[in-house]
Amino acid sequence: MLFDLFFKNFLFKIFLSIISGVFGVLSFSPYNIWPIAIISLVILFKLIYESNIKESCLISFFWGFGFYGTGISWIYISLIKFGGLSKILSIIIFIFFIIYLSLYIVLFGFLFKKYFFKKNILNCLFNIPGLWIVLDYFRSSFFTGFPWLQFGYSQINSPLNFIAPILGFEFITFLIVMISSFFYFFKNKLYLFLYFFLFFLFSFFLKNIYWYYPIKNDYIKVTLIQGNEKNLITYNIKDIKKKINVYYKYTKPVLGKSKIIIWPESIIPNNIINQKNLLYFLNKIMYLKNTILITGIISSKRNLKNFINFNSVIFLGKSLIIKSINNIIYKKYHLVPFGEYIPMKLILYPLLKLINFPMENFSKGNYLQSPQNICNKNFLTILCYEVIFSEQIKNNFSSQVDFLLTLSNNSWFGNSIEPWQHYQMACMRSLELGRSMLYCSNNGITAIINPDGSCQKKISQFISKSLTLNIIRYKGITPYSKFKIIPIKIFVIIFIIISIFLKKLYKIFN
């Protein structure tokens, strides 16, 4: 066939690998064309299979370059907008980061071609998807981790989403890679389609099992406010007052009507020490109106030498007198590299200082923090970037949690796809844990997410508006929240054992 002849041309393979990588991004939000994830991987597998090891590594690299270069292009925007760097320097930093991420795909292509290229049921069912999961795990862990664009998230609206409350998005990724390997490796397509017909029929029954249930007549009225402010973090007193006035304009009409009012991250960007008068003023108003205000703040704590800062969430209106502000806050654990702290500080700090890169110096909060009890409801707080770290959220979750709460600042990324990807991952957290989420952002998206991962109500990007709704409390516990990441770790261990065994067996018989 003409298409197979093209596949033998190496330059065509490189071109197709880039295109299929770019194509894979369409499976994620805001595009949400979930079958494209499988198509993109099928093309990658065919390209690797039809090439030698050296070509496979190059093909994998260019697939990753197309995939990450398109899917996280918003990093370039943040370097320009937040970093204040020149376009050339921003491009250089962005390219180096994309190269780093693409090396994981290179390692996949190398190991795939060297050990798992044979078309057999064991490779399709276990080895190839297991290898992908292992490398996803390393990417999510090394250098603080960057667990972005994992294919499990792309299936939030697909027939596979029923897996999330049982085994989590990681196992959905496993299934996507497994399905892709089946599509390419199996010659008997009739058998293949029969297999997947039975699989999706089985999924239909599992999809109708609800691990959680609503508590009748047990709800709370909340208001989420999206101010759509133009500026980023500012320490100018006039700018802060202007920002507060925007949010107070939407707050005033619902005081005493909504039990909880939520402002997003970075609305009070100045240090808590410098904003005590404002905080006491807001706290008194909220207390007298029987309303709780939740918003972001920078908190401080004195250590032996000086003050250390935390990116925090504060809860105002719980009592008239605030004895200790530090006792009514949540402190962020997972900090944004280069945005909130400098990784490998001894090496990178002098270099970043040389190029005048703006550097924050936040400290981590505790990994485990108790849910906040607000109006007799328990809220599990997640601050912005943390929503993508599923393991931390699961370890802080218990059956006593009533709602998930996320405050975010997406203004760093302009009119890009980042806020939609971030929101999609937040939806997956609700689906995995079976709880409604209050997701509040400064310039979009702001939403109330149902326990099944669907949107109950939202405010789109770049709109200044408030969202008021009665949200029902749910109870029950999903298998995934109970067993956490243990099942997928067992799969990884079995995968490694089988891989070692097969390698030794191969040497014996050859």
Side-chain angles (χ1 to χ4, degrees):
M1 291 177 65
L2 183 62
F3 192 67
D4 289 329
L5 289 173
F6 273 123
F7 260 89
K8 294 178 181 179
N9 184 302
F10 183 62
L11 288 177
F12 177 76
K13 289 179 181 179
I14 294 296
F15 171 76
L16 191 57
S17 65
I18 296 171
I19 295 300
S20 60
V22 172
F23 197 55
V25 177
L26 297 178
S27 61
F28 295 89
S29 189
Y31 314 107
N32 295 310
I33 313 172
W34 61 264
I36 287 181
I38 297 171
I39 297 169
S40 179
L41 288 173
V42 168
I43 294 172
L44 175 63
F45 295 164
K46 179 172 176 61
L47 288 168
I48 292 173
Y49 188 80
E50 300 288 337
S51 308
N52 58 43
I53 288 183
K54 289 183 179 179
E55 289 178 345
S56 296
C57 290
L58 281 170
I59 285 164
S60 301
F61 172 79
F62 282 105
W63 186 93
F65 200 86
F67 182 66
Y68 294 114
T70 306
I72 58 171
S73 56
W74 40 266
I75 286 179
Y76 169 75
I77 297 172
S78 67
L79 288 171
I80 292 283
K81 199 168 186 178
F82 166 66
L85 304 179
S86 67
K87 288 185 178 180
I88 293 174
L89 190 56
S90 298
I91 290 170
I92 291 170
I93 293 172
F94 175 65
I95 288 174
F96 269 104
F97 187 56
I98 298 305
I99 289 171
Y100 160 71
L101 294 175
S102 300
L103 290 177
Y104 288 100
I105 310 299
V106 172
L107 187 56
F108 172 81
F110 172 78
L111 295 174
F112 178 118
K113 188 65 182 178
K114 191 168 180 65
Y115 298 111
F116 309 127
F117 64 92
K118 290 186 177 180
K119 295 183 178 181
N120 59 52
I121 191 73
L122 191 61
N123 279 338
C124 291
L125 271 177
F126 199 77
N127 289 333
I128 293 170
L131 176 61
W132 190 280
I133 287 292
V134 168
L135 294 174
D136 258 0
Y137 178 78
F138 286 140
R139 177 166 65 89
S140 303
S141 304
F142 285 175
F143 306 116
T144 75
F146 189 72
W148 214 277
L149 290 183
Q150 297 186 52
F151 277 116
Y153 289 115
S154 69
Q155 306 303 300
I156 189 76
N157 298 315
S158 85
L160 294 176
N161 64 5
F162 76 94
I163 291 291
I166 305 171
L167 292 168
F169 86 97
E170 297 96 339
F171 196 74
I172 298 177
T173 302
F174 185 96
L175 285 175
I176 285 294
V177 180
M178 185 190 76
I179 290 168
S180 302
S181 62
F182 264 107
F183 265 114
Y184 176 61
F185 285 161
F186 264 68
K187 292 182 179 179
N188 191 334
K189 303 300 181 187
L190 184 63
Y191 175 79
L192 180 64
F193 280 108
L194 179 62
Y195 170 82
F196 284 114
F197 173 76
L198 293 173
F199 177 81
F200 285 115
L201 185 65
F202 177 65
S203 75
F204 174 78
F205 291 105
L206 283 180
K207 198 177 179 74
N208 287 291
I209 297 176
Y210 291 94
W211 309 100
Y212 48 85
Y213 53 91
I215 306 298
K216 194 174 181 180
N217 297 323
D218 191 351
Y219 57 85
I220 189 167
K221 193 172 188 177
V222 299
T223 296
L224 286 69
I225 300 174
Q226 178 176 293
N228 190 34
E229 65 276 9
K230 304 297 180 184
N231 58 319
L232 300 177
I233 290 179
T234 176
Y235 299 101
N236 184 286
I237 294 174
K238 289 183 178 179
D239 288 338
I240 292 172
K241 284 183 177 179
K242 187 177 179 181
K243 188 184 289 190
I244 296 296
N245 286 337
V246 170
Y247 280 86
Y248 193 71
K249 179 184 76 173
Y250 289 106
T251 299
K252 198 172 180 181
V254 293
L255 282 172
K257 298 175 183 177
S258 291
K259 284 291 184 181
I260 297 174
I261 298 171
I262 303 171
W263 297 358
E265 184 188 20
S266 304
I267 300 310
I268 309 175
N270 209 329
N271 195 292
I272 204 167
I273 297 170
N274 301 324
Q275 295 296 328
K276 281 187 176 180
N277 289 336
L278 172 63
L279 294 174
Y280 288 137
F281 170 74
L282 290 172
N283 182 75
K284 184 177 180 180
I285 291 173
M286 298 302 150
Y287 180 80
L288 294 174
K289 292 292 184 178
N290 196 26
T291 300
I292 302 294
L293 174 65
I294 305 172
T295 187
I297 190 81
I298 297 172
S299 63
S300 297
K301 181 181 178 182
R302 182 181 286 278
N303 63 8
L304 295 175
K305 293 182 179 180
N306 50 22
F307 282 97
I308 55 175
N309 296 325
F310 302 89
N311 193 358
S312 307
V313 177
I314 192 166
F315 304 84
L316 299 172
K318 297 180 78 172
S319 62
L320 182 59
I321 300 172
I322 304 176
K323 293 181 179 179
S324 174
I325 287 176
N326 282 314
N327 290 336
I328 55 169
I329 61 175
Y330 165 83
K331 297 174 183 176
K332 188 176 184 180
Y333 174 79
H334 267 292
L335 303 175
V336 180
F338 303 102
E340 294 174 323
Y341 85 107
I342 305 301
M344 299 181 291
K345 193 171 182 179
L346 290 175
I347 300 170
L348 295 177
Y349 185 83
L351 178 63
L352 294 171
K353 194 173 182 180
L354 188 66
I355 61 175
N356 294 319
F357 189 85
M359 291 176 280
E360 295 286 356
N361 188 27
F362 288 117
S363 298
K364 288 184 175 183
N366 295 327
Y367 181 79
L368 296 177
Q369 298 185 53
S370 300
Q372 286 287 336
N373 187 276
I374 307 168
C375 304
N376 297 318
K377 307 287 189 296
N378 291 320
F379 286 75
L380 178 59
T381 308
I382 307 155
L383 192 47
C384 196
Y385 185 61
E386 290 183 311
V387 81
I388 72 176
F389 292 93
S390 61
E391 191 166 2
Q392 178 202 350
I393 296 168
K394 289 192 296 289
N395 288 334
N396 279 276
F397 182 84
S398 71
S399 60
Q400 301 306 310
V401 171
D402 298 308
F403 301 102
L404 306 177
L405 169 67
T406 299
L407 275 61
S408 184
N409 176 9
N410 287 324
S411 57
W412 313 110
F413 311 108
N415 189 16
S416 71
I417 59 177
E418 189 278 343
W420 292 98
Q421 294 173 349
H422 194 257
Y423 169 72
Q424 186 177 51
M425 288 186 272
C427 291
M428 184 61 76
R429 296 292 87 83
S430 283
L431 179 59
E432 288 172 338
L433 301 176
R435 292 294 185 272
S436 297
M437 178 182 283
L438 311 179
Y439 183 88
C440 189
S441 175
N442 56 351
N443 69 341
I445 304 149
T446 292
I448 294 174
I449 303 168
N450 291 316
D452 63 358
S454 64
C455 176
Q456 187 172 359
K457 195 174 182 181
K458 71 178 177 183
I459 307 171
S460 293
Q461 285 180 287
F462 314 120
I463 296 173
S464 182
K465 193 177 179 181
S466 66
L467 187 163
T468 300
L469 203 66
N470 289 320
I471 52 170
I472 298 173
R473 185 164 70 100
Y474 284 82
K475 279 297 178 185
I477 189 163
T478 64
Y480 189 52
S481 61
K482 185 175 183 180
F483 298 109
K484 298 179 171 60
I485 204 168
I486 292 172
I488 200 70
K489 285 183 176 178
I490 292 172
F491 268 101
V492 169
I493 292 168
I494 294 172
F495 158 72
I496 293 170
I497 293 170
I498 289 177
S499 299
I500 294 170
F501 175 75
L502 287 176
K503 187 178 178 182
K504 288 183 177 181
L505 206 65
Y506 181 78
K507 286 181 178 179
I508 292 171
F509 289 99
N510 290 274

